[in-house]
């Protein structure tokens, strides 16, 4: 294509034009001049056509399949992940989550578990306001008959220790929590009964309801003294002797 282009270019610019030598031209000379001009015009148009064809010639075709395969192989090399490392990171993530959830869940669950019973008899030691375990001998020596004093009982609830007229313990303790709305019910020695200051509920010395709005008697707990002299509380699960019915707190 380049050879043809240069041929027409050379023909157009270097072919000698026909120049008349006199003012009077013959018909033959005029025809020759027109023919020469026509050839030059044709040469110019041919050069334009060949130049356009060369400009819009298609680019060389490459093997796209080979290029795509090479790119895919490179991408696979870049995205390769060590499976062992991935497993290790997953284990670290799961372990961290388990430790966090366990640290939050264990105290929450233990909150609903009753305190340890302590002692060989399976009871919960009675404790004073400072958390010290109460010894029966020393306690009775410091209290008068008919005394109703509070101690920490089952689940840490305030529980009355009752000293009988003969100077020994009743075989039960009374939970001091009012069955109406949960106030701690104080003992009134002058009235010989428990009197709730919140809504006026009253209980007999045994914890039976004397006056409402409390719907149920005070909860019972077994009271025992072990061989070492500790006072122990244990759940009362048998018949409630005040109502002759099943204990409502079990």
């Amino acid at each position: 294509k380049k050879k043809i282009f240069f041929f027409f270019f050379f023909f157009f610019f270097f072919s000698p034009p026909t120049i008349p030598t006199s003012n009077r031209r013959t018909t033959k000379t005029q025809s020759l001049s027109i023919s020469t001009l026509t050839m030059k015009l044709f040469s110019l148009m041919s050069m334009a056509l060949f130049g356009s064809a060369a400009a819009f010639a298609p680019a060389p075709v490459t093997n796209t399949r080979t290029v795509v395969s090479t790119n895919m192989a490179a991408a696979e090399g870049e995205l390769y992940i060590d499976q062992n490392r991935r497993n290790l990171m997953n284990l670290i993530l799961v372990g961290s989550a388990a430790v966090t959830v366990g640290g939050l869940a264990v105290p929450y669950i233990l909150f609903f578990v009753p305190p340890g019973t302590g002692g060989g008899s399976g009871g919960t030691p009675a404790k004073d306001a400072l958390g010290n375990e109460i010894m029966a001998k020393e306690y009775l020596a410091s209290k008068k008959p008919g005394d109703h004093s509070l101690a920490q009982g089952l689940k840490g609830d305030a529980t009355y220790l009752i000293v009988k007229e003969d100077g020994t313990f009743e075989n039960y303790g009374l939970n001091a929590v009012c069955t109406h709305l949960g106030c701690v019910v104080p003992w009134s020695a002058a009235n010989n009964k428990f009197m709730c200051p919140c809504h006026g509920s009253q209980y007999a010395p045994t914890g039976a309801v004397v006056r409402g709005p409390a719907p149920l008697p005070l909860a019972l707990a077994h009271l025992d003294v072990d061989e070492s002299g500790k006072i122990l509380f244990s759940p009362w699960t048998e018949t409630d002797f005040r109502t002759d019915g099943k204990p409502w707190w079990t």
Side-chain angles (χ1 to χ4, degrees), residues 36-182:
T36 302
L37 183 61
T38 302
M39 289 298 295
K40 290 182 178 182
L41 181 61
F42 176 76
S43 298
L44 183 62
M45 292 177 65
S46 298
M47 284 189 294
L49 291 176
F50 278 106
S52 300
F56 291 97
V61 179
T62 58
N63 192 345
T64 56
R65 180 177 300 179
T66 303
V67 174
V68 172
S69 300
T70 304
N71 293 337
M72 290 179 63
E76 290 178 357
E78 293 176 357
L79 296 177
Y80 173 75
I81 298 177
D82 188 352
Q83 187 63 35
N84 293 332
R85 182 176 297 178
R86 172 177 289 181
N87 294 337
L88 177 61
M89 295 302 296
N90 290 338
L91 289 176
I92 294 174
L93 178 61
V94 173
S96 301
V99 170
T100 303
V101 174
L104 296 174
V106 171
Y108 180 79
I109 295 173
L110 292 178
F111 175 80
F112 297 97
V113 178
T117 55
S121 61
T124 300
K127 298 180 180 180
D128 59 19
L130 299 177
N132 301 316
E133 295 181 352
I134 300 175
M135 305 302 292
K137 184 177 180 180
E138 289 79 0
Y139 184 85
L140 291 174
S142 63
K143 302 297 181 182
K144 296 179 179 180
D147 181 78
H148 294 67
S149 297
L150 288 172
Q152 294 183 40
L154 299 175
K155 301 182 181 179
D157 289 345
T159 304
Y160 279 104
L161 296 173
I162 303 173
V163 180
K164 297 188 294 185
E165 294 300 326
D166 61 0
T168 60
F169 287 112
E170 285 282 4
N171 64 351
Y172 60 85
L174 286 176
N175 192 311
V177 178
C178 182
T179 58
H180 178 220
L181 292 178

Side-chain angles (χ1 to χ4, degrees), residues 10 20 22 29 32 52 72 77-78 84 102 105 108 165 175 184 191 193 196 202 204 214-215 230 242 249:
F10 181 81
S22 62
T29 302
L32 182 60
S52 300
M72 290 179 63
E78 293 176 357
N84 293 332
Y108 180 79
E165 294 300 326
N175 192 311
V184 175
N191 296 288
K193 57 186 175 182
C196 182
Q202 298 181 9
K230 294 179 182 178
R242 300 162 302 184
W249 55 89

Side-chain angles (χ1 to χ4, degrees), residues 181-199:
L181 292 178
C183 298
V184 175
V185 183
W187 167 254
S188 175
N191 296 288
N192 195 36
K193 57 186 175 182
F194 298 98
M195 302 178 67
C196 182
C198 296
H199 302 93

